[in-house]
Amino acid sequence: MATANFDAHWLAEAVRLREARDGRLDDAALLPLLQQAADFETRALVRAQALGERLGWHEALAHWHGGARLSALLLAALACSSGALLALGTLGDGSRPVNLIWALLGLLGLHGASLLLWLLAMLHPGKEAGAALGRLWLRLLRRLPAARETPELGRALPRLLARDGLGRWLFGAVSHGLWTLLLASALLTLLALFSLRRYGFVWETTILSPETLSTLLSVLDALPRLVGLGAPDGATLLGPQDDALRATWARWLMVALLLYGLLPRLLLWGGCRFAWQRAGRALRLDMRLPDNLLLRRHLMPEHGASRIADPAPAQLGSAHLPRPAIDAAAGGALVGIELGPDLAWPPPLAAPLRLIERIDGRADRQRTLERLAAAPPRRLLVAFDARLSPDRGSYALLAQLAAHAGNTAAWLAGDGERDAARLRHWRDGLAEAGLPAEHVVSERDAAMLWLEHADD
Amino acid sequence: MTELPALAVVGHTNAGKTSLLRTLIRDAGFGEVSDRPATTRHVEAVELMAGGMAVMKLFDTPGLEDPLGLADLMDALAGDDRPDGPELVARFLASPEAGKRFEQEAKVLRQMQASDAALYVIDARDPVLAKFREELAILARCARPLLPVLNFVAQPGHRADEWRGVLARLGLHAVVAFDSVAPELDGERRLYAALATLIEAHRETLERLIEARAEEAAERLQAGRRAIAEMLLDVAALRRTLVDEAQAEATLQALRGQVRQRERRCVEDLLALYGFRRGDAPEEELPLLAGRWEDDLFSAQALREAGLRLGTGAATGAAAGMGIDLVTGGLTLGAAAALGALAGGLWQTVSHYGERLGGRLRGYRELSVDDAILRLLALRGQRLLQALERRGHAAMGRLALPPVDESAWREGSLPGALAEARIRPAWSTLSEAFEPDEARAAALAELSQSVQAIERLPSGE
């Protein structure tokens, strides 16, 4: 019924439907195996095979195939018997002469109409294609017990067939195949009947003129004439016939059935079957479905496993505040470290200070340290920009400055709105560096107050 | 091409190196991110893949914390003989401090020497302080191409322009702005394109990577449009037969519930497509969505906000969204549909319309969803898709992108596919009689084209 590729995609689609309903299936055990395949489609199909096996869908698939064959056989039998009955019904039992044109229409009428509809539907891509018999076959299939067991397979099939015209080729093939059987069996029945009974052929009309007959005949004779088996003169239908003439007409009827009925259907069946197989081989996963994109992310990760190339040390070195300088003279000093340009500097002071410095870089640092060393203050307030991230360099600088002061405090300036967490990290880091918590302030007024008592 | 390009990600502590890596490798579980300084203390390597193949090795490094101190040390080591950059770095790495006080800095410099290039990540909110300049000077000594990456540019109050000016004065002209939390959609492309010019030897690999990412982005957009189109199709084709007038209210509520649920499912699909995990609140990263997120689909407010009006025959308020479609026996078939119905199996057609015909003969009414709700769903879906595609832009305010032309959905006639869906209840996944066929697939493809999203971004800054 289908190529192996079609089955593989059928399973993949069924897995997708199941995962869309129930969430991703557990495929952790499969992933290492899948890594061997290079591209996503292969991985997805292999995964679907494995999952399908686990869910018991392979047996179900076999049942589907079996059911398909069975139902096709049933329909074929039906087609054959219909063909025979059609021929029988058209010719009658021989007691009355056969109205030739009527017989031809009877044999080919329904076939012609349905062929026309199918052609029209083919020309309208995307609309529901014809091939009613083919769809009938699908409906039969879905009533089989196999379909009930595994609803996902049943739901996946029409979705798959709706893609790339797969459905129309499959249904077309089935439809044309059944018609071929029907017409072939009609032809064989005609042959049998003509061999074993005696039929006469006439032309009867109530309102048409004799010229119509010849026109009709010449139109219908187009194909048989091409193969050299043209019709005898139409006038012979109106009078008595001898055996040779009857045989000729009978032969013409069968040739017409062959050329207008069986042959086109046979060719179309072959064409549809070929197109079906080719489309089946060319089937690919539909990457416009979000589910498939997400599956690809799952199966083809964007990165490999990470590894530590250079492990972390057991501990990090950190700066520690030295003991305060003993020979500190009275007075306060204010040093700002790496303050943002938008911070108001210097802050309003109640009393003038001996030293107000701003450090941004090594030259500033050098100058400040020299000045501090020359005249160590009793109280040193170091202002940090609390919006910056604290780092070891800041603490190291603090330690260097504190070595030249009696008492050191830190002021975390900046609005602190950006990150309350960052303020906390500053406090933690300063505590670890040895600065007592009461010497860390974040409000300007508290900082200035501390400085004011520098002369005590 | 034997070896993969190796890229070190370096920068001051807390600049967002690990976050950047997480964004590039699309894995929120890599490394550890916190606001504490010195979160990353090791060098961690990870391979970036595209199309299942490894294309680049990325190295996460510890943050630099004491550039001033290190600069002092290096000056001392340089002494009088003025060694060049790499020589000075070698002396430093051989010194005892490289194992103790500057152990973390030593890791970074060692990794830089082992890589083809480095990304220097900058917190663009910080002012350009002297210590950052010292860092750049130290890193420059490793003689590796350096690409500065400005992070946090989606935040207000960033100083990207100031940084660009300073970096240019230092000779670093290729600078990429890339907010690792809410990056612009072509931010990655610009990053890799800049790298491609810096690492000439690996240019092809990087260009391949850019192509792969661009393909992924295009597929993702297609899938997003299709998801919205399918939602619209499902809702348009949904019908419920009102058997008992007394049940009208209950049936109405049930119908609305189904539609809401379907929209929710579409939204979840879209978010998953764009890398949001379940439970992530997307509002912060999608400023275009602000305030429109929670409006109930069926509220008069939602319709008003979208500039829509209800169709005729439906009152406001409670009746919003209930379009009572008096079945005219399916006689609203258009010519093309009629042909399709005939050719497509008399069986199916008869059974399908027979039911509805029978229903009508018995005096049943059918509930379906009003056009206005369909339009609203389309507009909301498209806005979400736009917001996901434009993530990062609104906050940055750099590009004035034209808004999507919504007038087609707001005032114009609905696409043909939706009109056809209305007479095909079998097209709705929400109904029990769901039967996918070729016609539905074709209608879906056609409808996807009508769903708009923005065009790809213009290249360049």
Side-chain angles (χ1 to χ4, degrees), chain B residues 3 8 31 40 65 79 148 184 216 267 277 321 363 375 395 416 427 441 454:
Chain B
E3 271 199 28
T40 310
E65 289 200 66
E184 289 184 29
E216 276 172 43
V267 165
R277 292 175 297 175
R375 292 178 196 274
W427 278 9
I454 56 174

Side-chain angles (χ1 to χ4, degrees), chain B residues 76-87:
Chain B
L77 289 171
D80 288 328
D81 49 347
R82 300 185 359 152
D84 70 356
E87 167 64 33

Side-chain angles (χ1 to χ4, degrees), chain B residues 132-436:
Chain B
F132 298 130
R133 280 186 243 240
E134 293 279 7
E135 265 178 18
L136 282 164
I138 293 172
L139 292 171
R141 292 198 175 112
C142 299
R144 293 284 183 271
L146 200 62
L147 179 63
V149 176
L150 296 171
N151 198 358
F152 295 108
V153 285
Q155 301 280 333
H158 67 85
R159 297 178 156 99
D161 292 327
E162 206 181 299
W163 272 100
R164 280 184 203 277
V166 172
L167 289 166
R169 285 203 289 279
L170 290 171
L172 294 162
H173 297 277
V175 177
V176 176
F178 190 94
D179 187 308
S180 55
V181 169
E184 289 184 29
L185 221 58
D186 70 343
E188 242 185 18
R189 184 188 57 78
R190 279 187 278 122
L191 187 78
Y192 295 135
L195 272 177
T197 58
L198 286 181
I199 329 178
E200 192 58 42
H202 294 281
R203 171 186 269 277
E204 271 175 43
T205 312
L206 284 162
E207 284 176 352
R208 235 188 316 132
L209 178 56
I210 294 176
E211 254 180 63
R213 291 282 187 252
E215 258 178 59
E216 276 172 43
E219 278 176 338
R220 194 172 47 209
L221 182 59
Q222 266 308 98
R225 293 163 83 174
R226 190 190 185 284
I228 295 176
E230 186 155 29
M231 168 185 70
L232 293 175
L233 212 63
D234 281 349
V235 172
L238 183 62
R239 328 182 77 70
R240 290 197 140 213
T241 312
L242 195 56
V243 173
D244 179 3
E245 287 297 320
Q247 299 283 334
E249 187 60 32
T251 316
L252 182 60
Q253 292 302 344
L255 185 66
R256 286 190 188 161
Q258 274 190 297
V259 177
R260 283 196 193 98
Q261 172 67 349
R262 185 61 182 88
E263 192 196 24
R264 239 189 316 260
R265 189 152 57 94
C266 178
V267 165
E268 275 172 18
D269 280 347
L270 286 177
L271 290 178
L273 255 184
Y274 281 81
F276 285 95
R277 292 175 297 175
R278 267 177 183 267
D280 278 358
E283 292 88 9
E284 296 105 48
E285 299 184 33
L286 301 174
L288 284 181
L289 273 191
R292 298 169 182 163
W293 196 242
E294 281 101 22
D295 284 350
D296 180 36
L297 189 58
F298 289 96
S299 63
Q301 181 191 1
L303 288 170
R304 215 181 312 124
E305 192 278 331
L308 299 170
R309 278 175 313 164
L310 290 175
T312 58
T316 57
M322 180 173 89
I324 300 181
D325 177 21
L326 288 177
V327 175
T328 52
L331 299 178
T332 51
L333 293 172
L339 184 64
L342 274 179
L346 240 35
W347 195 294
Q348 199 175 10
T349 313
V350 163
S351 72
H352 160 63
Y353 285 112
E355 270 170 44
R356 299 181 62 192
L357 209 48
R360 191 223 170 191
L361 291 174
R362 272 170 280 170
Y364 296 162
R365 296 199 295 174
E366 273 197 351
L367 286 178
S368 66
V369 180
D370 194 86
D371 270 9
I373 298 296
L374 280 180
R375 292 178 196 274
L376 183 58
L377 280 172
L379 287 175
R380 273 157 70 125
Q382 283 175 136
R383 281 181 190 157
L384 175 57
L385 191 57
Q386 276 177 58
L388 287 167
E389 282 275 313
R390 289 188 188 190
R391 184 165 68 165
H393 275 286
M396 292 174 75
R398 280 190 314 125
L399 300 167
L401 289 166
V404 166
D405 178 19
E406 292 180 340
S407 59
W409 278 102
R410 201 176 273 141
E411 288 121 25
S413 50
L414 288 177
L418 282 182
E420 195 174 335
R422 284 211 176 277
I423 56 175
R424 290 182 189 279
W427 278 9
S428 178
T429 59
L430 301 169
S431 75
E432 298 93 35
F434 173 57
E435 189 80 42

Side-chain angles (χ1 to χ4, degrees), chain A residues 367-445:
Chain A
R367 188 184 63 243
T368 310
L369 283 173
E370 280 165 9
R371 286 188 65 190
L372 278 176
R378 190 166 296 164
R379 286 199 173 189
L380 169 66
L381 181 67
V382 180
F384 292 102
D385 189 339
R387 295 166 302 180
L388 290 177
S389 170
D391 56 28
R392 269 182 284 116
S394 315
Y395 304 139
L397 193 47
L398 179 65
Q400 281 183 306
L401 294 168
H404 299 290
N407 242 320
T408 314
W411 170 30
L412 300 172
D415 58 21
E417 284 296 309
R418 176 154 117 188
D419 238 320
R422 205 156 262 195
L423 209 55
R424 208 174 47 242
H425 296 315
W426 273 109
R427 288 184 186 275
D428 292 343
L430 288 167
E432 229 178 272
L435 198 60
E438 58 268 19
H439 281 191
V440 179
V441 294
S442 45
E443 277 95 45
R444 194 187 65 194
D445 297 333

Side-chain angles (χ1 to χ4, degrees), chain A residues 12-101:
Chain A
E13 178 73 12
V15 166
R16 183 184 77 84
L17 288 175
R18 167 67 80 98
E19 289 190 322
R21 196 190 64 184
D22 291 342
R24 184 114 21 245
L25 292 169
D26 175 24
D27 60 359
L30 295 168
L31 287 176
L33 174 70
L34 295 176
Q35 300 298 337
Q36 298 174 10
D39 71 325
F40 165 62
E41 178 128 347
T42 319
R43 286 190 197 183
L45 292 178
V46 168
R47 175 178 182 268
Q49 294 274 20
L51 287 173
E53 212 173 299
R54 191 200 299 172
L55 293 164
W57 285 352
H58 282 275
E59 288 93 49
L61 215 56
H63 288 155
W64 270 91
H65 285 307
R69 271 190 289 274
L70 192 62
S71 55
L73 276 172
L74 270 168
L75 285 175
L78 211 63
C80 287
S81 47
S82 311
L85 286 172
L86 179 67
L88 263 171
T90 314
L91 288 188
D93 59 357
S95 53
R96 296 196 53 219
V98 178
N99 186 333
L100 189 73
I101 306 295

Side-chain angles (χ1 to χ4, degrees), chain A residues 300-313:
Chain A
M300 312 267 284
E302 259 103 4
H303 68 92
S306 65
R307 60 179 176 88
I308 310 283
D310 197 349

